[in-house]
Amino acid sequence: MKSVSRFVLALMAGTMMGSAAYAQEAPIRIALMTDLAGPTADYGGQGGMEAIKMAVEDIGGSINGRPVEIAFIDHQNKPDIAVTKAREAYDNGTDMIINLSNSAAALGVMEIAKAKNKVVIVTGAGSSKITGDACSPNTVHFAFNAYSLSNAPVEALTRAGDDDWFLIVSDFAYGLSVEGAVTGAVDQAGGKVVGTVKHPAFMATDFSSYALQAISSGAKVIGLSNSSSDTTNSIRALKEFGLGDDQKMVAFTLLINEIHGLGIDQASGLVYATAFYWDRTEATREWSKRFYERVGKMPNMVNAGDYSGTLHYLRAVEAAGTSDADKVLEKMHEMPVNDMFAENGRVREDGMMVHDMYLVQVKTPEESKYPWDYLNVLETIPAEKAFVPLEQSECPLVAKD
C-alpha cells in the first residue's frame, strides 16, 4: 500500500509540475473582435488587424517565453453573434478580446468576460455605459467614449456664442448615449438643444429629410450624434441642401479615413474631437508611417487604440508574470500608458483609460499641403477635463464618500 501511495503522490506531483510547465509554455491568446467587412469596418477591419500585429511584433512576439497568438473574429455588428463567439473564444483559451466596435456587442461581451474572469478591452465602441452603470472589473475602455467626444466641441462652440443646437441622432445604443452626453454638455454650457431627429442605425441611405429638418431649424450648430456611414451620409446631405452661412457642423464620432473618403472639400470646416491624429508629433508620425506601409492609409484613433491597448495588456502580462486575469488587470490599473497614443494615460477605478483628447477642425483644400494633411488641432483637452469626473461616475466599482 505504501508503494502504491508513493506512486500516486509521485504521479500527482508530476501532473502538477507538468501543468505548471504547460501554463508557462502555453500561448497567450488575444483576439480582435470587430466588424471586419461591414458598415463599421473602419473601426476594426484591416486597420485593426495590422495594429494588433504591430503591437505583438513590437513587444517581441512572446512574453516571458510564451508566444502570443492572435485571432480575428467578425461579430457582423450583431450582439448575439458577438456574445456567442466571445463565449467560444474564452472557452477555447483566449485570454483577452479587444476592439468590439458596436456598443451593444461590447456590453454583451463584457458580461461574458466577467462571468469567465477574462479580460476585455473596448476600443471600438463608445457608450458611456461601458464605464458607467454597466462597468465591470474585467473591462478596460481605451480610446474614446461618448462623453470625451461630445464635451469638448460643445464647450468650445458654446463659449464662442454658438449656443443653439439641433441633433441628428442614430437610434441605437451608441447614438443615444452620445445624444444624452451632448444634451447634458449643452445644458451645462448654457446653450439649448432646439430639436432632434432620429434615424435607424446603418439602415438609412437617404438623409435628405433629416438634413432639411436640421437646416430649417435655424440652429447655429448641427450636431451629428451618429457614426460611420451614417455620419458621412449626414454630412453629404447637409452640404447638398445648403447649410446657412452662420450654421456649423459638428461630428461627435468621426475618423480620419472617413474624411479621406468624403473628400476634404465636403468635410472642410467640420469640428470634432479625437483621441489621436497621425500628424501631431514625431512619435505619432513615425508610428503612423509604419502603419501606412502595411495598410495603405493613415491610422485613425481606433487603430491607434487597438495598438496601445494590446501593448498595455501585454506589458501587464509581462509585469505580472502570468496571464491570470485578476493579476493582469491589477497591473493594467497600476501601470501608466506611455506610447504614441497616450502620454501618462491611466486606467481608473471605473475601467476608463483617461488621456488627453484633441479638438480639431478639418482644413480647407487650400490649407492642406500633402496627402492626409487634413486637420488643424485647435485645443488639447487634458485628461481630467476630457472624461467625466470620477466623482460623477455611475460605475458601482467607484468608491463613494
Side-chain angles (χ1 to χ4, degrees):
M1 289 293 292
K2 289 183 179 179
S3 61
V4 172
S5 298
R6 284 195 295 270
F7 172 76
V8 172
L9 289 170
L11 181 61
M12 291 174 62
T15 302
M16 292 170 66
M17 290 175 63
S19 298
Y22 175 77
Q24 291 301 313
E25 295 172 2
I28 299 163
R29 294 186 173 95
I30 61 178
L32 175 82
M33 180 182 285
T34 190
D35 179 2
L36 293 180
T40 60
D42 284 336
Y43 291 76
Q46 184 191 7
M49 293 180 186
E50 293 303 322
I52 299 292
K53 290 177 185 177
M54 288 172 70
V56 173
E57 291 167 10
D58 286 353
I59 208 163
S62 65
I63 302 293
N64 300 329
R66 298 172 60 188
V68 180
E69 292 184 354
I70 311 171
F72 303 109
I73 304 171
D74 190 351
H75 62 38
Q76 301 172 42
N77 272 308
K78 297 177 180 177
D80 56 335
I81 290 178
V83 167
T84 298
K85 291 190 174 184
R87 184 180 290 110
E88 291 173 354
Y90 285 138
D91 286 345
N92 290 325
T94 295
D95 298 294
M96 183 272 281
I97 292 175
I98 191 168
N99 188 285
L100 292 165
S101 60
N102 185 301
S103 289
L107 290 164
V109 172
M110 285 168 58
E111 289 297 315
I112 301 301
K114 182 179 178 181
K116 295 186 176 295
N117 197 26
K118 298 283 190 172
V119 178
V120 59
I121 302 175
V122 179
T123 59
S127 172
S128 296
K129 291 176 69 66
I130 293 168
T131 52
D133 58 5
C135 70
S136 164
N138 294 78
T139 300
V140 175
H141 197 177
F142 259 68
F144 69 96
N145 67 0
Y147 184 97
S148 67
L149 295 181
S150 61
N151 200 55
V154 168
E155 195 276 332
L157 288 171
T158 304
R159 186 195 330 135
D162 296 315
D163 51 3
D164 291 345
W165 292 70
F166 187 97
L167 304 180
I168 298 176
V169 181
S170 178
D171 194 10
F172 83 127
Y174 179 61
L176 298 174
S177 181
V178 171
E179 179 191 17
V182 171
T183 301
V186 170
D187 182 65
Q188 185 174 355
K192 60 182 177 180
V193 175
V194 299
T196 63
V197 62
K198 291 182 172 64
H199 63 81
F202 311 125
M203 295 176 64
T205 54
D206 183 359
F207 279 72
S208 56
S209 65
Y210 312 127
L212 287 168
Q213 287 182 65
I215 292 168
S216 63
S217 73
K220 295 176 183 176
V221 186
I222 298 172
L224 307 179
S225 300
N226 46 25
S227 61
S228 191
S229 57
D230 288 341
T231 297
T232 54
N233 284 332
S234 298
I235 293 167
R236 288 190 182 98
L238 288 165
K239 287 282 189 173
E240 179 182 351
F241 288 99
L243 282 171
D245 292 337
D246 58 347
Q247 288 182 311
K248 295 181 174 67
M249 282 190 299
V250 173
F252 292 112
T253 312
L254 191 66
L255 304 178
I256 193 168
N257 36 292
E258 292 166 343
I259 296 170
H260 186 76
L262 274 170
I264 196 170
D265 54 335
Q266 286 270 311
S268 177
L270 190 70
V271 175
Y272 69 103
T274 185
F276 179 84
Y277 178 43
W278 77 269
D279 203 13
R280 189 178 65 84
T281 68
E282 283 303 317
T284 60
R285 282 188 283 273
E286 187 276 332
W287 183 83
S288 297
K289 288 173 182 177
R290 289 172 53 207
F291 180 94
Y292 184 89
E293 290 172 0
R294 303 168 74 121
V295 182
K297 58 185 177 182
M298 285 300 177
N300 58 48
M301 68 175 175
V302 181
N303 304 146
D306 284 334
Y307 173 89
S308 181
T310 301
L311 199 62
H312 188 60
Y313 170 80
L314 293 175
R315 285 171 173 166
V317 171
E318 185 175 41
T322 177
S323 56
D324 175 79
D326 291 333
K327 294 178 181 177
V328 172
L329 285 159
E330 183 179 357
K331 288 295 182 183
M332 291 182 76
H333 281 262
E334 287 177 3
M335 297 167 60
V337 179
N338 280 302
D339 54 28
M340 51 77 214
F341 176 78
E343 297 158 20
N344 297 314
R346 62 184 181 88
V347 181
R348 301 192 310 192
E349 295 171 60
D350 58 356
M352 191 75 231
M353 197 285 278
V354 295
H355 51 84
D356 293 348
M357 296 285 292
Y358 307 96
L359 184 67
V360 298
Q361 186 170 37
V362 181
K363 292 182 175 183
T364 64
E366 294 73 28
E367 289 178 300
S368 181
K369 303 303 181 185
Y370 43 86
W372 296 88
D373 175 28
Y374 293 155
L375 303 178
N376 286 316
V377 178
L378 304 179
E379 295 181 25
T380 297
I381 306 101
E384 61 271 18
K385 291 186 177 180
F387 295 88
V388 66
L390 198 56
E391 60 269 19
Q392 296 177 21
S393 173
E394 297 179 1
C395 172
L397 300 172
V398 176
K400 305 295 182 183
D401 293 333

